[in-house]
């Protein structure tokens, strides 16, 4: 499943003419393209889908959404190790 996940912008840099950010998704840190939200600043939150920040989000909504995703196990599903997930799926299939 591919979710649009809220994350907090930790750092911004320009890479080869593209604005990129280091974004924290409740403890999971990923690189994200900011071209769709060019005025996003460090400390702000954004909805991110497949590596692109799509929309600014207020902190309260971001925190509530991240807590709900964590509770439902969706953050692990979205950001977990794909090799570990494949191994677990293989073990379940053999049982």
């Amino acid at each position: 499943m591919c979710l649009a996940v809220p994350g907090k912008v930790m750092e911004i840099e320009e890479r080869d003419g593209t604005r990129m950010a280091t974004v924290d998704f409740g403890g999971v840190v990923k690189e994200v393209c900011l071209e769709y939200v060019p005025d996003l600043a460090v400390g702000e939150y954004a909805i991110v889908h497949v590596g692109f920040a799509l929309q600014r989000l207020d902190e309260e909504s971001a925190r509530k959404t991240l807590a709900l995703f964590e509770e439902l196990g969706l953050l692990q599903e979205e950001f977990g190790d794909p090799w570990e997930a494949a191994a677990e799926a293989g073990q379940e299939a053999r049982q």
Side-chain angles (χ1 to χ4, degrees), residues 31-46:
E31 293 298 309
V32 171
C33 178
L34 298 182
E35 290 299 302
Y36 294 134
V37 192
D39 60 338
L40 203 60
V42 171
E44 291 187 303
Y45 288 80

Side-chain angles (χ1 to χ4, degrees), residues 9-23 29-35 51-52:
V9 177
M10 306 304 289
E11 184 179 313
I12 296 174
E13 66 179 311
E14 190 159 321
R15 210 175 301 146
D16 297 322
T18 302
R19 236 172 141 237
M20 298 294 291
T22 301
V23 177
V29 177
K30 299 279 186 181
E31 293 298 309
V32 171
C33 178
L34 298 182
E35 290 299 302
F52 290 88

Side-chain angles (χ1 to χ4, degrees), residues 46-85:
I47 296 290
V48 177
H49 182 63
V50 293
F52 290 88
L54 301 177
Q55 174 181 330
R56 181 178 281 103
L57 185 65
D58 66 276
E59 183 175 356
E60 182 181 348
S61 295
R63 290 183 183 274
K64 285 181 179 179
T65 302
L66 283 169
L68 179 60
F69 284 3
E70 179 69 31
E71 183 180 322
L72 296 172
L74 295 175
L75 286 180
Q76 178 62 27
E77 183 177 321
E78 186 70 14
F79 296 121
D81 182 343
W83 295 108
E84 184 180 313

